[in-house]
Amino acid sequence: MNPYQPIENNEFVGRETELARINEIEHRHQAAIMVVYGRRRIGKTELIEHAFAKRNLLKFEGIEGQSKQEQIDLVLHQLAKYTEDAKIAKLHFTHWREVFELIAEYLSDGKWTLYFEELQWLATYEDNFIADLKYVWDNFYRKNKNLLLILCGSSPSFMINHVLKSKALYNRSTYEIPLDEFNLQETEKFLNRSHHEVVDALLTVGGIPEYLRYLKQDSSIFLSLCRNAFRKGSPFFGEYERIFVSSLANNPHYREIIEYLSKVKFATRAEMAKHLKIQSGGYLSLLLRDLELCHFIKKYTPYNLNEKSILARYCIYDNFLMFYFKFINPIGSEILNGDFNQSPTKAINTEAYRKWLGYSFERFCRKNHTLIAKKLGFEDVRYRCGVYFSRPLEKKMPGYQIDLLYAREDKVMTICEIKYVQAKIGTEVIEELEKKLSLFPNPKKMTIQKVLISTYGPADSLISRAYFDRFLILEDFF
């Protein structure tokens, strides 16, 4: 056998939590199934190949859009290369069980890692792959205590609903490794740039390692962003189409939901059902759940209301998708014409981009609410947190939004005003927040703690007013 040899990645950083978990599983000295999943470009392959580079690794990768028979033939072709036995490639199997049993003949002894990549394509989004695998696992694979089976996929909804929740694999030494974006510290280590550039990158494309790699190519994050987004054939320009191919089955309603939310910014369940012309029932719930599992959209509700409230809204949650719809998609025809090939920075209005980053920073702060609570000194206090928004009832009572608030059990309401701007904040922010607070309901008469979270902090004029109780700046997040 000639096992698969991963290419060493000298840029590998982070993932300490996942690597520790993998090490723990590997040293239990029993056959195990590891299910790894996460959206496209999140770094699943890099993690697995880095973690198991020194083990005997057999990797079988699914191909998008191929039939079950074509996937089986491809696996046999790959196995023929590993075994240096050309006859294997000429075998004609029609069931996955036959393939798995053949592989088992080579893995009955020794320290092996059997790795199925892009499982949703290998299985053609069907359940028979897992059903056949269950039979061979029970009768062959699990007898080798040094065998680790890895099932990896870019479709979180498929991996959760059809693999982890499958009755076939229930209670069979299955371990779950969901792979999320790089956090701020991992992004900083990966990019090795100034804190401001690191945050700009994170707010624009998210902590997706492959996207961040594109942003390292030039003297500034902004220049790399423009060159990889606005030139004909640039990777970010074509990424939108590839996202849906990798993460979701071929269902046009997924795309319709994303594109609808890109236009209206947020929408209720009823509004989306009306737009899609479908019933607001189980089918819509399935679509929304799949998109949420992929972290493409997110449901959010005013902190004080039940999640089933009619005020619950959905919005696009993925940073890259938001950037794509705001700045790439509107000028798609010009990009295809090559209008910005020579000067890609001219494709984007920098003032509009900085304003958009402000909204993205608000989402970043809500996502990192535990870190903010720690910095403000109440991480040990139980709290509910989130955004607060109201619907406009009349001209005298316009709708408004509070970026982030914490309703704390110590009878304090911490209200955060968030500003991601290029200068220190002046006193104009006081009038803005006061208007919101005058309309904000506080029936329990809780103490209000006012916090300003901004890039560079307050100007001297704002400090002298002693209006805010606390200030947090960008550096505090590092």
Side-chain angles (χ1 to χ4, degrees), residues 255-305:
R255 187 188 297 258
E256 288 179 39
I257 290 173
I258 292 290
E259 293 179 356
Y260 175 64
L261 290 176
S262 76
K263 296 174 183 176
V264 299
K265 295 185 179 179
F266 52 80
T268 64
R269 180 189 180 94
E271 289 169 338
M272 284 187 286
K274 182 179 179 181
H275 174 75
L276 294 174
K277 299 179 181 179
I278 62 175
Q279 295 293 319
S280 181
Y283 177 60
L284 179 59
S285 296
L286 180 63
L287 293 172
L288 296 175
R289 185 183 65 195
D290 285 352
L291 288 168
E292 284 192 276
L293 287 174
C294 293
H295 293 174
F296 293 157
I297 69 171
K298 187 174 180 62
K299 177 183 179 182
Y300 66 105
T301 310
Y303 81 99
N304 56 325
L305 297 180

Side-chain angles (χ1 to χ4, degrees), residues 300-314:
Y300 66 105
T301 310
Y303 81 99
N304 56 325
L305 297 180
N306 187 284
E307 285 192 0
K308 296 182 180 180
S309 167
I310 60 172
L311 271 180
R313 299 171 172 178
Y314 290 85

